[in-house]
C-alpha cells in the first residue's frame, strides 16, 4: 500500500516539475573529445608565422624559464587568431611543443575555456549575449537574435553558406550598461536595435569597418542626456576635513 502511494506521489511531482532549460543538452563527446576529421587532424601542419613567432617568444619571456606553461592561454589565443578564428589539434600540438609540455596539458585548457573554438568559424564570429541585462536592456536581446537570424538565414550555432558569419548565443560579455550588445571577433557593438544590428552586419559583409562601441550616439557608457547629479563643483578639503588632515 505504502509503495503504491509513494509511486503516485513521485508521478505527481514529475508532472508538476520542469527542467531549468529546454535546450537540448550537448553530448559530452562534442565538448571534450577530439575526433580526427578531414579539416582537423594532426597531419595538417601548423606553425606560427615569423611575426607571431616573435610575439610568442616575447610572451614566453615574461615568465620564469621553469614556468613557460603559464603562457598556454596567450599562445593558444595567438594561434587561434592566425588560424582564422579557431584552434585546431595541430595548433594545440605546436603550442605544446613550444612550451615543452605534454599535449594533454594544452588540450585541457583549450577544451575548458569557451573562448577557444575547436571547430572552424566564419570570418565574422558573432556572439550574442542573452543574459538578463541584455534581455531587459533597450529593445532586448530577443529582438536582436531575431533580427540576426532572419537577416543571415541561419540559426544559433550555425554558419552562413558563404562562410562569412558564424552565430553563437553566449553568456554575459561584460557590457551590461550598454545592453543589448554583441561581440564580433574581438570588437563590441553596443546599444543595439534591430536596425543598427543589421547595418553592422551589412557593413562587415561589404568589407567595411563599422563603428565600434555604442551605436546610439553615446561615447561609452555615460547616461543619456544631461547630467542629473554631480553637477556642482566638489567640495574642497577645507570644507570637510579637520585641520590636521588638510
Amino acid at each position: 500500500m505504502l509503495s503504491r502511494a509513494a509511486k503516485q506521489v513521485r508521478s505527481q511531482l514529475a508532472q508538476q516539475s520542469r527542467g531549468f532549460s529546454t535546450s537540448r543538452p550537448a553530448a559530452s563527446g562534442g565538448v571534450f573529445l577530439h575526433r580526427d576529421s578531414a579539416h582537423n587532424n594532426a597531419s595538417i601542419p601548423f606553425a606560427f608565422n615569423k611575426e607571431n613567432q616573435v610575439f610568442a617568444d616575447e610572451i614566453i619571456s615574461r615568465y620564469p624559464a621553469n614556468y613557460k606553461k603559464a603562457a598556454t592561454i596567450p599562445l593558444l589565443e595567438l594561434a587561434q587568431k592566425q588560424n582564422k578564428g579557431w584552434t585546431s589539434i595541430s595548433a594545440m600540438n605546436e603550442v605544446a611543443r613550444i612550451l615543452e609540455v605534454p599535449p594533454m596539458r594544452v588540450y585541457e585548457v583549450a577544451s575548458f575555456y569557451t573562448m577557444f573554438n575547436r571547430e572552424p568559424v566564419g570570418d565574422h564570429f558573432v556572439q550574442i549575449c542573452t543574459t538578463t541585462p541584455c534581455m531587459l536592456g533597450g529593445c532586448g536581446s530577443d529582438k536582436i537574435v531575431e533580427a540576426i537570424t532572419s537577416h543571415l538565414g541561419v540559426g544559433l550555432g550555425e554558419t552562413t553558406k558563404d562562410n562569412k558569419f558564424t552565430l553563437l548565443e553566449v553568456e554575459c560579455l561584460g557590457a551590461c550598461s550598454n545592453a543589448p550588445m554583441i561581440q564580433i571577433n574581438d570588437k563590441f557593438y553596443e546599444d543595439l536595435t534591430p536596425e543598427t544590428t543589421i547595418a553592422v552586419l551589412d557593413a562587415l559583409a561589404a568589407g567595411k569597418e563599422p563603428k565600434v562601441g555604442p551605436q546610439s550616439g553615446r561615447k561609452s557608457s555615460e547616461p543619456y542626456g544631461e547630467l542629473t547629479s554631480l553637477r556642482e563643483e566638489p567640495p574642497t578639503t577645507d570644507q570637510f576635513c579637520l585641520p590636521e588632515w588638510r
Side-chain angles (χ1 to χ4, degrees), residues 12-202:
Q12 292 173 355
L13 289 174
Q15 293 174 3
Q16 294 173 4
S17 64
R18 63 180 179 85
F20 287 104
S21 173
T22 57
S23 300
R24 181 178 64 85
S28 60
V31 178
F32 298 111
L33 299 183
H34 167 79
R35 292 184 174 87
D36 281 351
S37 62
H39 65 271
N40 190 10
N41 62 77
S43 67
I44 300 174
F46 176 88
F48 284 117
N49 57 38
K50 185 176 181 180
E51 180 183 359
N52 283 340
Q53 185 60 61
V54 172
F55 192 16
D57 292 339
E58 194 277 326
I59 291 172
I60 294 170
S61 70
R62 302 172 189 173
Y63 304 95
N66 57 330
Y67 283 102
K68 290 197 298 183
K69 63 182 179 181
T72 299
I73 289 178
L75 257 62
L76 277 174
E77 183 179 14
L78 187 63
Q80 177 164 279
K81 287 183 178 180
Q82 179 177 313
N83 201 44
K84 297 183 178 180
W86 70 289
T87 307
S88 66
I89 191 71
S90 298
M92 297 182 215
N93 290 341
E94 178 65 3
V95 170
R97 184 193 68 80
I98 292 173
L99 298 180
E100 300 180 284
V101 297
M104 181 54 69
R105 293 289 178 257
V106 178
Y107 302 161
E108 289 169 344
V109 174
S111 61
F112 179 82
Y113 291 102
T114 57
M115 63 186 280
F116 298 118
N117 306 310
R118 294 192 293 110
E119 286 295 326
V121 297
D123 298 333
H124 307 292
F125 183 43
V126 183
Q127 300 177 74
I128 310 175
C129 175
T130 58
T131 41
T132 306
C134 279
M135 183 180 293
L136 300 178
C139 66
S141 58
D142 287 351
K143 290 187 177 180
I144 303 303
V145 171
E146 182 181 356
I148 295 177
T149 53
S150 299
H151 188 65
L152 297 181
V154 295
L156 297 172
E158 297 178 352
T159 300
T160 56
K161 292 181 180 180
D162 59 7
N163 206 43
K164 283 190 175 182
F165 294 93
T166 294
L167 188 58
L168 188 67
E169 180 182 17
V170 297
E171 298 300 318
C172 183
L173 290 170
C176 305
S177 59
N178 294 55
M181 58 82 62
I182 59 177
Q183 178 180 339
I184 303 180
N185 295 343
D186 293 332
K187 298 177 180 178
F188 279 16
Y189 300 90
E190 307 156 346
D191 290 344
L192 294 171
T193 64
E195 294 75 22
T196 56
T197 303
I198 291 173
V200 168
L201 297 177
D202 286 344

